[in-house]
Amino acid sequence: DGADAVAVFDHMSFRFDDADEDTLCDLSFACRRSQTTAIVGSTGSGKSTVAKLAARFWDATEGTVTVGGVDVASVDPEVLLRDYAIVFQDVLLFDDTVMGNIRLGRRGATDEEVLAAARVANCDEFVSRMPQGYDTMIGENGSKLSGGERQRISIARALLKDAPIVLLDEATASLDVENETVVQQALSRLLAGKTVIVIAHRMRTVENADKIVVLKDGVVAEQGTPAQLKAAGGEFARMVALQKEAATWQL
């Protein structure tokens, strides 16, 4: 896919150790530099597994995943993760201050750098209401925070890290509308100019993606731009129509 392909899945299959069959089978697609590639599909299609394989949480059973032309299986996971900022739905937070949790993005960051990332991630709005501001302890795994607040800390951490590739397991899927808007604003700042791999649950969030890869039953059912896939009238078009219909029922 040319020199501007950052992450390439080449005939990659993956099977969990105790499984009888592959979760993902013979996947081939490329994620290009400074573009957003969205991985979509119904629940259980293998979307989140793709993101975890890109960051080498697990290794491919067959085929390869390369990042910058290097097979990730040959790279120490900690070294590989320096290239990634990761924002998943399940945010991992520690029983520390807001400041301490954001600083995990880059341990040597100054207070000013941490606060600047927090501002861009729209954290000021809720931290200003906390008794000790950024020095407030947030409880075990952020138990004192709402889902939207936890996501914003996660985005601030990713902004501070400033890695070239952003892995996003759609961070807004479980948020209410008000929180979703604030988190989307923060995300758009994080993603500017980056290579983005987004695992998408809501079709309207991928309308602006450069490329969409549709997974169905662990294989690539189709791939292309949103416009191409809508015009093709296949799996993606069907998913868009279904979600529009569901939204109409809710009104």
Side-chain angles (χ1 to χ4, degrees), residues 114-168:
V114 173
L115 293 171
R119 269 195 299 279
V120 176
N122 290 342
C123 291
D124 276 0
E125 178 260 333
F126 70 87
V127 175
S128 64
R129 300 195 299 269
M130 294 177 136
Q132 280 93 40
Y134 281 95
D135 294 321
T136 306
M137 298 292 285
I138 62 171
E140 190 66 41
N141 208 17
S143 56
K144 296 178 182 173
L145 304 175
S146 72
E149 289 164 355
R150 296 176 60 199
Q151 283 297 359
R152 281 180 266 170
I153 287 180
S154 177
I155 292 166
R157 192 188 279 173
L159 281 158
L160 186 65
K161 187 171 187 182
D162 195 25
I165 306 171
V166 180
L167 276 185
L168 197 62

Side-chain angles (χ1 to χ4, degrees), residues 8-54:
V8 178
F9 292 76
D10 187 11
H11 295 288
M12 190 229 47
S13 298
F14 175 74
R15 178 183 298 203
F16 288 101
D17 289 342
D18 54 355
D20 294 329
E21 53 188 51
D22 291 343
T23 302
L24 298 167
C25 186
D26 200 30
L27 264 58
S28 289
F29 63 90
C31 307
R32 301 177 89 88
R33 190 175 311 285
S34 305
Q35 290 194 355
T36 296
T37 302
I39 316 291
V40 307
S42 55
T43 305
S45 60
K47 301 187 296 292
S48 295
T49 308
V50 168
K52 292 183 168 78
L53 285 159

Side-chain angles (χ1 to χ4, degrees), residues 13-210:
S13 298
F14 175 74
R15 178 183 298 203
F16 288 101
D17 289 342
D18 54 355
D20 294 329
E21 53 188 51
D22 291 343
T23 302
L24 298 167
C25 186
D26 200 30
L27 264 58
S28 289
F29 63 90
C31 307
R32 301 177 89 88
R33 190 175 311 285
S34 305
Q35 290 194 355
T36 296
T37 302
I39 316 291
V40 307
S42 55
T43 305
S45 60
K47 301 187 296 292
S48 295
T49 308
V50 168
K52 292 183 168 78
L53 285 159
R56 208 190 164 194
F57 289 16
W58 304 313
D59 281 333
T61 314
E62 287 176 42
T64 58
V65 181
T66 58
V67 171
V70 179
D71 185 343
V72 297
S74 68
V75 183
D76 181 270
E78 278 201 23
V79 174
L80 183 67
L81 284 173
R82 288 177 200 158
D83 283 339
Y84 286 103
I86 297 176
V87 183
F88 284 171
Q89 274 179 294
D90 304 322
V91 183
L92 184 62
L93 298 175
F94 297 92
D95 190 8
D96 193 355
T97 62
V98 177
M99 196 92 161
N101 270 283
I102 295 173
R103 190 175 264 119
L104 285 175
R106 184 155 48 86
R107 290 180 191 278
T110 64
D111 287 359
E112 288 74 24
E113 288 170 327
V114 173
L115 293 171
R119 269 195 299 279
V120 176
N122 290 342
C123 291
D124 276 0
E125 178 260 333
F126 70 87
V127 175
S128 64
R129 300 195 299 269
M130 294 177 136
Q132 280 93 40
Y134 281 95
D135 294 321
T136 306
M137 298 292 285
I138 62 171
E140 190 66 41
N141 208 17
S143 56
K144 296 178 182 173
L145 304 175
S146 72
E149 289 164 355
R150 296 176 60 199
Q151 283 297 359
R152 281 180 266 170
I153 287 180
S154 177
I155 292 166
R157 192 188 279 173
L159 281 158
L160 186 65
K161 187 171 187 182
D162 195 25
I165 306 171
V166 180
L167 276 185
L168 197 62
D169 192 346
E170 195 175 326
T172 60
S174 56
L175 303 181
D176 58 50
V177 174
E178 189 178 342
N179 255 311
E180 184 185 4
T181 305
V182 178
V183 171
Q184 284 289 8
Q185 285 171 346
L187 278 175
S188 65
R189 295 167 191 154
L190 168 65
L191 304 181
K194 304 291 189 191
T195 301
V196 185
I197 304 173
V198 56
I199 308 304
H201 305 270
R202 297 178 181 179
M203 293 306 102
R204 64 188 167 81
T205 61
V206 300
E207 303 272 327
N208 299 322
D210 298 288

